[in-house]
């Protein structure tokens, strides 16, 4: 009889220890997971801030900073071609472009449209820009060129913040005028 009572006490203690352990694990798990809400307005402002910095990078010929907004797996869709340029080739390409022109205008025609995935880990921005540049042609004549660009930039949220994963771009035909006339 004493053995049966001892076994029952032992079983009860084991059950209580197991229950205590289970409650402890649940409390630890509950404290580790947090119910964190994402503000769409805050995330949209972060995307728009990056968009605004792009204007500064164009006017101030900041190719490295511009390229730093692109992810390491960035894809470019432009002029019927799909490319996955490296950061170094992006810096070289942007530097060449920025140094070959003077930006007169790089302004939104309409405010960018920004949308998010349900989990706020991806976003896209639809942009419409009027761009006016001046440059010297092969005859050293000063040319003023005006066009309108539209693109979709797909952003992904990384640990260090939003980066552009893909850009698909198009533009209207340019209108050029020789300023030496």
């Amino acid at each position: 009889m004493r053995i049966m009572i001892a076994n029952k006490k032992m079983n009860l203690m084991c059950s209580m220890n197991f229950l205590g352990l289970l409650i402890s694990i649940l409390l630890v798990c509950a404290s580790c997971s947090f119910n964190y809400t994402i503000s769409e307005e805050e995330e949209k402002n972060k995307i728009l801030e990056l968009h605004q910095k792009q204007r500064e990078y164009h006017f101030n010929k900041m190719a490295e900073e511009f390229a730093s907004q692109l992810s390491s797996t960035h894809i470019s869709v432009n002029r019927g071609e799909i490319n996955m340029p490296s950061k170094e080739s992006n810096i070289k390409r942007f530097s060449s472009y920025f140094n070959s022109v003077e930006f007169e205008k790089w302004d939104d025609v309409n405010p960018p449209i920004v949308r998010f995935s349900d989990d706020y880990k991806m976003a896209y921005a639809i942009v419409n820009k009027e761009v006016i540049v001046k440059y010297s042609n092969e005859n050293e004549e000063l040319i003023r060129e005006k066009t309108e660009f539209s693109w979709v930039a797909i952003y992904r949220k990384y640990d260090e913040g939003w980066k552009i994963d893909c850009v698909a771009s198009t533009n209207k035909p340019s209108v050029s005028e020789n300023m030496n006339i």
Side-chain angles (χ1 to χ4, degrees):
M1 181 77 143
R2 285 186 182 182
I3 294 176
M4 284 178 50
I5 293 173
N7 280 342
K8 284 185 182 183
K9 283 183 180 179
M10 183 69 94
N11 286 340
L12 182 60
M13 287 177 59
C14 285
S15 295
M16 289 179 71
N17 284 341
F18 177 75
L19 184 59
L21 179 63
L22 184 60
I23 289 171
S24 296
I25 290 172
L26 289 174
L27 287 173
V28 167
C29 288
S31 69
C32 290
S33 66
F34 48 91
N35 195 2
Y36 158 74
T37 57
I38 296 172
S39 165
E40 183 170 333
E41 186 177 338
E42 283 179 30
E43 296 304 316
K44 182 178 180 180
N45 287 338
K46 290 175 187 176
I47 299 283
L48 293 175
E49 182 180 325
L50 293 172
H51 175 74
Q52 200 56 31
K53 284 184 177 183
Q54 292 168 15
R55 184 179 194 283
E56 174 189 342
Y57 299 157
H58 278 72
F59 277 91
N60 295 315
K61 303 177 184 303
M62 301 167 75
E64 211 167 313
E65 290 81 356
F66 188 78
S68 73
Q69 285 197 3
L70 308 174
S71 73
S72 61
T73 58
H74 171 257
I75 300 169
S76 171
V77 180
N78 192 8
R79 298 180 183 172
E81 293 184 18
I82 300 170
N83 294 300
M84 291 181 66
S86 67
K87 184 173 184 175
E88 293 75 25
S89 68
N90 276 324
I91 292 170
K92 185 177 177 180
R93 183 170 57 99
F94 294 131
S95 184
S96 175
Y97 172 55
F98 292 167
N99 290 323
S100 68
V101 298
E102 289 299 320
F103 287 93
E104 192 176 302
K105 190 171 189 178
W106 200 82
D107 296 332
D108 292 323
V109 175
N110 300 298
I113 299 166
V114 179
R115 299 285 187 268
F116 294 91
S117 63
D118 290 342
D119 62 1
Y120 288 89
K121 292 185 180 183
M122 293 194 77
Y124 65 85
I126 299 173
V127 178
N128 184 217
K129 289 267 184 213
E130 180 180 36
V131 178
I132 301 174
V133 296
K134 291 187 279 190
Y135 62 92
S136 293
N137 68 10
E138 61 278 350
N139 299 324
E140 298 300 318
E141 299 168 319
L142 188 59
I143 305 296
R144 183 174 187 258
E145 189 173 274
K146 176 182 173 181
T147 192
E148 203 170 304
F149 285 89
S150 294
W151 66 84
V152 176
I154 300 171
Y155 290 82
R156 179 181 301 236
K157 193 167 192 179
Y158 292 89
D159 289 340
E160 66 273 14
W162 290 101
K163 296 278 185 182
I164 299 171
D165 264 0
C166 180
V167 174
S169 179
T170 187
N171 61 289
K172 293 181 178 180
S174 298
V175 176
S176 299
E177 63 177 299
N178 187 327
M179 297 181 70
N180 291 335
I181 298 177

Short mmCIF file of all heavy atoms in Angstrom, two decimals, residues 77-82 169:
data_model
loop_
_atom_site.label_atom_id
_atom_site.label_comp_id
_atom_site.label_asym_id
_atom_site.label_seq_id
_atom_site.Cartn_x
_atom_site.Cartn_y
_atom_site.Cartn_z
N VAL A 77 15.13 46.06 -66.15
CA VAL A 77 14.38 45.78 -67.38
C VAL A 77 14.25 47.10 -68.11
O VAL A 77 13.59 48.03 -67.63
CB VAL A 77 12.98 45.19 -67.07
CG1 VAL A 77 12.22 44.90 -68.36
CG2 VAL A 77 13.07 43.96 -66.19
N ASN A 78 14.94 47.22 -69.25
CA ASN A 78 14.99 48.50 -69.95
C ASN A 78 15.33 48.27 -71.42
O ASN A 78 16.22 47.48 -71.73
CB ASN A 78 16.04 49.40 -69.28
CG ASN A 78 15.97 50.83 -69.75
OD1 ASN A 78 15.07 51.24 -70.46
ND2 ASN A 78 16.95 51.61 -69.32
N ARG A 79 14.63 48.97 -72.28
CA ARG A 79 14.89 48.92 -73.73
C ARG A 79 14.89 47.49 -74.28
O ARG A 79 15.72 47.13 -75.11
CB ARG A 79 16.19 49.63 -74.07
CG ARG A 79 16.14 51.09 -73.70
CD ARG A 79 17.40 51.81 -74.02
NE ARG A 79 17.25 53.19 -73.55
CZ ARG A 79 18.23 54.06 -73.54
NH1 ARG A 79 19.41 53.74 -73.98
NH2 ARG A 79 18.02 55.27 -73.09
N GLY A 80 13.97 46.70 -73.79
CA GLY A 80 13.84 45.33 -74.28
C GLY A 80 14.88 44.37 -73.77
O GLY A 80 14.99 43.24 -74.25
N GLU A 81 15.66 44.76 -72.78
CA GLU A 81 16.70 43.90 -72.23
C GLU A 81 16.53 43.70 -70.73
O GLU A 81 16.07 44.60 -70.03
CB GLU A 81 18.08 44.50 -72.49
CG GLU A 81 18.46 44.54 -73.96
CD GLU A 81 19.86 45.06 -74.18
OE1 GLU A 81 20.67 45.05 -73.21
OE2 GLU A 81 20.16 45.46 -75.31
N ILE A 82 16.93 42.52 -70.28
CA ILE A 82 16.92 42.19 -68.86
C ILE A 82 18.37 41.99 -68.43
O ILE A 82 19.10 41.21 -69.04
CB ILE A 82 16.10 40.91 -68.58
CG1 ILE A 82 14.65 41.12 -69.03
CG2 ILE A 82 16.18 40.52 -67.11
CD1 ILE A 82 13.82 39.86 -69.03
N SER A 169 11.63 50.04 -66.72
CA SER A 169 11.54 51.44 -67.12
C SER A 169 11.20 51.61 -68.59
O SER A 169 11.57 50.77 -69.43
CB SER A 169 12.89 52.12 -66.83
OG SER A 169 12.87 53.46 -67.22
#
